[in-house]
Amino acid sequence: MRFLHCSDVHMTADYASLPLRPLGWRRWIAMFEQWGGRRKAFAHAPETFATIARESLRPGVDHLIVSGDLTQYALEPEFVLARQALGALAEDPRRCTVIPGNHDVFTPGSHRTGRFARHFGQLLESDLPEHRREGAFPFVRLVGTEAAVVGLSSARVPPMPGIAHGYIGPAQLEGLAEVVKDPRLAGRALLVVVHHAPFTAKGRADHRFHGLKDAQALLALLPGPRFAVLHGHIHRRYHHPATPERPHVFSAGSSTQAGREGYWLIEVKDGRVLGGHQRVPGEETPEPAALHA
């Protein structure tokens, strides 16, 4: 089986055309990022994300996973752009899993009104809903007979722009522990999707204002190659192979950022995660590059 994993597509609204007051002070401060180059970096995000979505429907790809930050600042038109890019996949939990990132709950209002769930709640459905502990999370999606996708949320409303750490919390972790022990999932590989990174490309904890605060508690529940953690948040693509004590860790980077476009094709066989191939959207090669085992 193959899973296409992408992240941090950052659909960006035309802020110059929007009334300033409704944007709120958090977005006013964050707009310095736009002037600093983010707007240019993600100018072609809708087209690139649409290409990735189409490539997830190719023969031999079983499921698309998006590990958060579909939007830049959780604005309604940004969610609309993301949903349009997904096309029919936005209505098909059998073929697509999406979780929120910190940019998708960027303001208290966007979180309070459930803006993410209003557009993508249908992709948070669970085949084992009894394991939910915090809203929709964790949810479980059975894919074929060899794998399951488990969605977690580490995205929390930031107190102010520039503080972007996340945490899963004890309730979701307790639910995940029950998922891992569930006999109905015996023999399946578990691909656990969370937005924040358990550790960086160098294998270190991310800094306190950006990292996943309960990373060690998460990794301790998932020992060995049966498991993989799929995340975004850090705009760099990398893979740490599984060890007997911890799972595979895949960072999809920022899949639509100019000059860094790309995604993972993750291979699962016989209830184990074998590794992944890196791909660039729009490549014509019939087979992906060599496996990162």
Side-chain angles (χ1 to χ4, degrees), residues 48-285:
T48 305
F49 191 30
T51 297
I52 293 171
R54 288 193 299 271
E55 290 179 3
S56 77
L57 296 172
R58 287 176 173 174
V61 181
D62 296 280
H63 200 83
L64 170 64
I65 296 171
V66 188
S67 53
D69 278 2
L70 285 87
T71 68
Q72 194 71 272
Y73 298 130
L75 286 164
E76 182 70 21
E78 295 173 340
F79 282 108
V80 170
L81 284 171
R83 183 162 177 155
Q84 288 174 344
L86 278 176
L89 286 167
E91 299 292 338
D92 190 356
R94 297 297 95 202
R95 290 300 304 263
C96 184
T97 295
V98 173
I99 63 163
N102 58 296
H103 280 258
D104 302 321
V105 292
F106 197 75
T107 63
S110 63
H111 177 62
R112 183 177 59 252
T113 58
R115 194 167 292 161
F116 180 88
R118 191 161 68 245
H119 288 276
F120 298 108
Q122 64 279 4
L123 299 180
L124 307 179
E125 293 179 5
S126 183
D127 293 320
L128 302 176
E130 61 271 28
H131 294 311
R132 287 174 166 168
R133 296 295 186 274
E134 184 182 346
F137 304 98
F139 64 82
V140 180
R141 185 78 35 74
L142 304 179
V143 184
T145 60
E146 293 186 55
V149 177
V150 182
L152 301 172
S153 179
S154 61
R156 311 292 172 172
V157 179
M160 63 179 299
I163 297 179
H165 59 256
Y167 60 91
I168 299 163
Q172 288 186 58
L173 289 170
E174 188 273 333
L176 177 61
E178 293 301 312
V179 169
V180 171
K181 293 187 295 185
D182 194 315
R184 293 169 291 182
L185 298 176
R188 289 178 182 262
L190 296 188
L191 283 70
V192 178
V193 190
V194 66
H195 180 63
H196 290 77
F199 40 70
T200 66
K202 294 183 178 180
R204 302 171 183 166
D206 201 356
H207 67 79
R208 62 181 298 189
F209 295 124
H210 197 260
L212 180 63
K213 289 190 172 295
D214 42 10
Q216 292 306 311
L218 170 65
L219 296 174
L221 293 173
L222 308 170
R226 178 190 173 203
F227 305 102
V229 173
L230 281 54
H231 70 85
H233 198 52
I234 295 176
H235 289 185
R236 182 176 174 184
R237 202 163 298 108
Y238 55 88
H239 168 223
H240 292 289
T243 70
E245 295 78 32
R246 73 183 190 199
H248 291 273
V249 175
F250 290 92
S251 171
S254 181
S255 294
T256 62
Q257 185 175 354
R260 296 186 178 184
E261 300 93 337
Y263 57 82
W264 284 105
L265 285 179
I266 297 172
E267 300 271 0
V268 171
K269 185 176 182 181
D270 299 329
R272 294 163 61 93
V273 178
L274 302 183
H277 312 269
Q278 293 193 58
R279 289 296 302 268
V280 175
E283 282 183 334
E284 296 300 326
T285 52

